[in-house]
Amino acid sequence: MAAPDLLRLRRAATSRARQAYRVITRARPVIVKPPTGWAASEPNPDPPDVLAAFRFFAIVGTWCEADIIEATVRNAFVQGCERVYLVDNDSPDDTVARAEAAGATLLTSFVTESYDERLRMQIMNEAVANVSEATATADGDEHIWWLWLDADEFHHGPWGLSLRDYLATLDRRFRLVGARFYNHYPDRVPEYVEGNHPLDHEPLCAEWVYPMCRDGHRKHPLQRWDRDGLPITCADGFHQAHCDDGALLEPAVPIYLHHFPYRVEAVSRRRLDLLVGDGAGRAAGDPLRHWHIHKRFATFDHVYRHRWDRVASVDDEGPRLGVHLRPWSRQVPSADADCARF
């Protein structure tokens, strides 16, 4: 065989090997567990040294969330937030208008060609710092609790308490609160009615336990700004946080977070198509970072046909199939199963 032909064969074989490797790594990403030493937990003291006063605001990151954002904003107010701020990634629908109609305030809207979590978090962290400083300067406030959330996340406190009421019980040493995380799935039609609390339409869920901290909380959406304390920087997805003071302290009793990625089938399908459809959506560039989105897309039809054994698990352990669902109220103590509606 002539040398040029041999070289072409070698190049073709190398190209095929690289393609095969990309397929394998795309299907089975290498999962690296995050460090957990950044936070520690303790029981709330009895009696606690509570704050004499604090403010409570929410910040929501949005993109194409028109069907759910009104309910998100209303729930934040029901949970005791005084203000709900919006950071929008140039939504192509009327997300911003609906959020403002529900009482939210648009802080900023930014434009990107693809999903950029690092940029989103930079903008949101800067917004929290700026609003906190301005509020403290204007009103003399020393402490501001912030609720960090995406538009498909609905929170409440333990024991039937609102978030604000729960925060008011905590010792001042706690500047962070973790959340138990429940992923919800539709089992009826309509899957969701706009403007309503989605718990009333999608009771079936599976708890997603992932060790972002030593207590296994997947997210830490409550973080406190202190005028005389070092700042807390919220990390990607509100999973973790950082403070130069060292490990942040959270109470042993977490809050609850309900995640509703599946709403009305046609609406949810369109959004996922825009994110990862045909491998060219806004979140298609990094399979590892957005692995749960790819798994959601791959088994989307099974969700809406209620083929639960064929739905991809959203834990971060690879392409495992099968979700085991139960109503939310049967997975927690009865005192925790009651939460405010709007």
Side-chain angles (χ1 to χ4, degrees), residues 44-52 169-173:
N44 198 28
D46 185 16
D49 180 14
V50 300
L51 298 175
T169 72
L170 296 181
D171 190 272
R172 65 176 60 242
R173 293 177 302 154

Side-chain angles (χ1 to χ4, degrees), residues 37-41 175-176 232 241-243 245-250:
W38 64 276
S41 70
R175 295 186 65 196
L176 179 89
I232 294 175
H242 172 78
C243 181
D245 260 345
L248 289 162
L249 189 64
E250 63 176 324

Side-chain angles (χ1 to χ4, degrees), residues 180-243:
R180 293 180 66 178
F181 188 102
Y182 291 85
N183 213 52
H184 287 255
Y185 296 82
D187 68 338
R188 64 199 69 182
V189 176
E191 300 91 345
Y192 175 63
V193 176
E194 292 183 15
N196 291 358
H197 197 302
L199 269 179
D200 294 331
H201 300 277
E202 295 187 16
L204 289 185
C205 61
E207 185 170 7
W208 187 356
V209 179
Y210 192 77
M212 290 291 180
C213 68
R214 289 170 179 168
D215 284 2
H217 304 138
R218 175 164 174 77
K219 291 206 175 188
H220 294 79
L222 288 170
Q223 301 173 20
R224 196 180 77 214
W225 179 91
D226 290 338
R227 185 177 63 185
D228 297 326
L230 291 176
I232 294 175
T233 301
C234 190
D236 291 3
F238 329 136
H239 297 294
Q240 298 185 333
H242 172 78
C243 181

Side-chain angles (χ1 to χ4, degrees), residues 248-267:
L248 289 162
L249 189 64
E250 63 176 324
V253 176
I255 63 168
Y256 290 94
L257 190 164
H258 300 275
H259 183 224
F260 296 92
Y262 304 101
R263 280 97 68 183
V264 172
E265 181 175 1
V267 174

Side-chain angles (χ1 to χ4, degrees), residues 255-306:
I255 63 168
Y256 290 94
L257 190 164
H258 300 275
H259 183 224
F260 296 92
Y262 304 101
R263 280 97 68 183
V264 172
E265 181 175 1
V267 174
S268 297
R269 184 187 297 276
R270 176 179 177 273
R271 189 172 186 276
L272 271 181
D273 280 340
L274 292 173
L275 282 169
V276 292
D278 296 325
R282 289 176 55 84
D286 188 344
L288 181 57
R289 178 183 293 271
H290 305 291
W291 180 232
H292 64 289
I293 297 177
H294 285 262
K295 290 199 290 186
R296 195 187 309 168
F297 181 77
T299 59
F300 182 89
D301 288 336
H302 298 310
V303 168
Y304 286 92
R305 306 292 85 77
H306 309 154

